[in-house]
Amino acid sequence: MSWRTLRSTLAALGVFLALWLPAVAAAQDGRESEPVAALTAALSAACRANETQFENYLTVDNAAAFRALPQDQRSAVLKRLSLGDEAGKPLLSSDDRNHTVLRCTAPEGTAEFRFGDVRTRENLAFIPVAVTDGEKTEFGLVRENGGWRLISLGLVLLDIPQLSKQWAESDLAAREDAVISDLRALNDAIQTYRRAFGKLPDSLSQLGPAPKDQISPDQASLVSDQLADGNDGGYRFRYRIVPGTQEDQSAFELAAMPDDYGKTGRRSFFVDSTGKVHGADKHGDQATEDDPVIP
């Protein structure tokens, strides 16, 4: 899917000797005579979140498609290629086999790219690349207009619009999976609260963190601040007590809806009285127990 998921499919090997790469930071026209230089410059531009420079290392068709993407999707492409959520600084070195090693140092961490032996075939070049914590992939480049341009990632042609769409869909699915886990954690926390204090919490805020050794019905320290606030991962959570005929028969409803339908998520979710999670595309409205059960 994205370079974010390629963290689990790319691997890192060898020794690193860090050097600043001021030359790469300068504007380039994409006319590098060697494919390694072109790939280094493309990944460095992605690291710095420099869309203009990155575009220089795309084919003419992909460059036009990249420019046509909405801003958030262009940013997402660069984030996936650089394996970071924020702009970073590229650092260049070589390993003991004189292969290029590129590091992207950003506030949230550092991604390391280790290049392998280049294979060239007429106007095509293929460069294996390994990163910090996974297996390897291979970049394909093609010579176009006097320079080398990115053309493939692994076995997939670098179709920018299609990849952007796939990455966005995968992000939505991952975010929805996280929300399902959050709902189950909230459900467990509410049940734990009831066992501990003999009643249901009045609101999710009562499940939040407490000062050390000061757990109470108002601060039960059962979930994170974000979940206690009822908003996490692009979703908002809704909790409501459903009175029964007797106090011990009281139940509750727990639901989650996307903050920005279509961007932060599509499906809405609902937890029934047995703890099962239901979900469906409700166009941003609340799901109900009549919706399909999530396995």
Side-chain angles (χ1 to χ4, degrees):
M1 157 271 194
S2 67
W3 263 84
R4 180 151 291 289
T5 56
L6 282 179
R7 287 177 188 274
S8 62
T9 60
L10 305 175
L13 302 169
V15 179
F16 175 78
L17 300 172
L19 298 171
W20 287 105
L21 188 59
V24 176
Q28 300 181 36
D29 65 2
R31 293 181 182 273
E32 278 73 10
S33 61
E34 297 295 333
V36 168
L39 180 56
T40 299
L43 291 178
S44 296
C47 173
R48 292 190 305 274
N50 189 318
E51 296 176 9
T52 301
Q53 289 183 19
F54 175 72
E55 183 185 313
N56 289 330
Y57 301 96
L58 298 175
T59 61
V60 172
D61 290 343
N62 267 327
F66 181 75
R67 288 192 298 271
L69 291 175
Q71 175 60 52
D72 60 338
Q73 293 184 32
R74 294 197 304 272
S75 296
V77 170
L78 299 189
K79 288 177 182 178
R80 286 169 173 82
L81 287 172
S82 66
L83 300 179
D85 289 330
E86 300 181 52
K89 295 180 179 180
L91 302 134
L92 184 65
S93 72
S94 59
D95 62 17
D96 55 3
R97 298 179 60 191
N98 204 32
H99 289 156
T100 296
V101 178
L102 175 67
R103 303 182 84 203
C104 180
T105 301
E108 75 273 17
T110 298
E112 184 175 281
F113 304 83
R114 292 183 170 271
F115 293 18
D117 292 322
V118 182
R119 294 182 292 110
T120 57
R121 296 178 181 176
E122 297 180 352
N123 67 330
L124 296 175
F126 301 92
I127 305 174
V129 177
V131 296
T132 306
D133 59 355
E135 301 169 359
K136 296 179 180 179
T137 193
E138 186 173 68
F139 282 91
L141 296 94
V142 62
R143 186 182 290 278
E144 182 183 82
N145 296 332
W148 289 94
R149 307 286 190 267
L150 299 178
I151 193 173
S152 65
L153 179 60
L155 299 177
V156 180
L157 287 177
L158 196 62
D159 183 332
I160 291 294
Q162 184 62 25
L163 282 178
S164 178
K165 180 180 179 181
Q166 291 175 357
W167 288 340
E169 290 296 327
S170 186
D171 275 353
L172 284 179
R175 192 174 292 116
E176 290 177 354
D177 287 345
V179 169
I180 292 169
S181 295
D182 285 343
L183 281 172
R184 288 175 173 148
L186 280 171
N187 180 71
D188 291 345
I190 292 169
Q191 300 293 3
T192 299
Y193 184 101
R194 173 152 47 186
R195 290 192 296 270
F197 301 109
K199 64 173 185 174
L200 290 171
D202 296 323
S203 67
L204 295 180
S205 63
Q206 293 180 305
L207 304 174
K212 185 178 180 180
D213 300 324
Q214 295 185 40
I215 292 175
S216 68
D218 289 328
Q219 292 177 297
S221 202
L222 293 171
V223 299
S224 66
D225 280 322
Q226 291 82 2
L227 290 181
D229 287 340
N231 200 318
D232 188 32
Y235 270 75
R236 63 187 183 280
F237 299 91
R238 182 174 297 166
Y239 165 75
R240 186 174 76 91
I241 295 175
V242 181
T245 57
Q246 299 178 14
E247 177 61 26
D248 61 357
Q249 292 179 331
S250 294
F252 63 89
E253 292 180 353
L254 189 58
M257 291 76 67
D259 281 332
D260 190 346
Y261 173 75
K263 291 187 177 181
T264 61
R266 285 200 182 92
R267 289 186 296 172
S268 297
F269 301 99
F270 181 88
V271 180
D272 65 25
S273 59
T274 66
K276 293 179 181 178
V277 180
H278 301 252
D281 185 343
K282 310 292 285 191
H283 299 279
D285 292 336
Q286 182 172 315
T288 71
E289 59 185 348
D290 294 326
D291 293 312
V293 174
I294 304 297

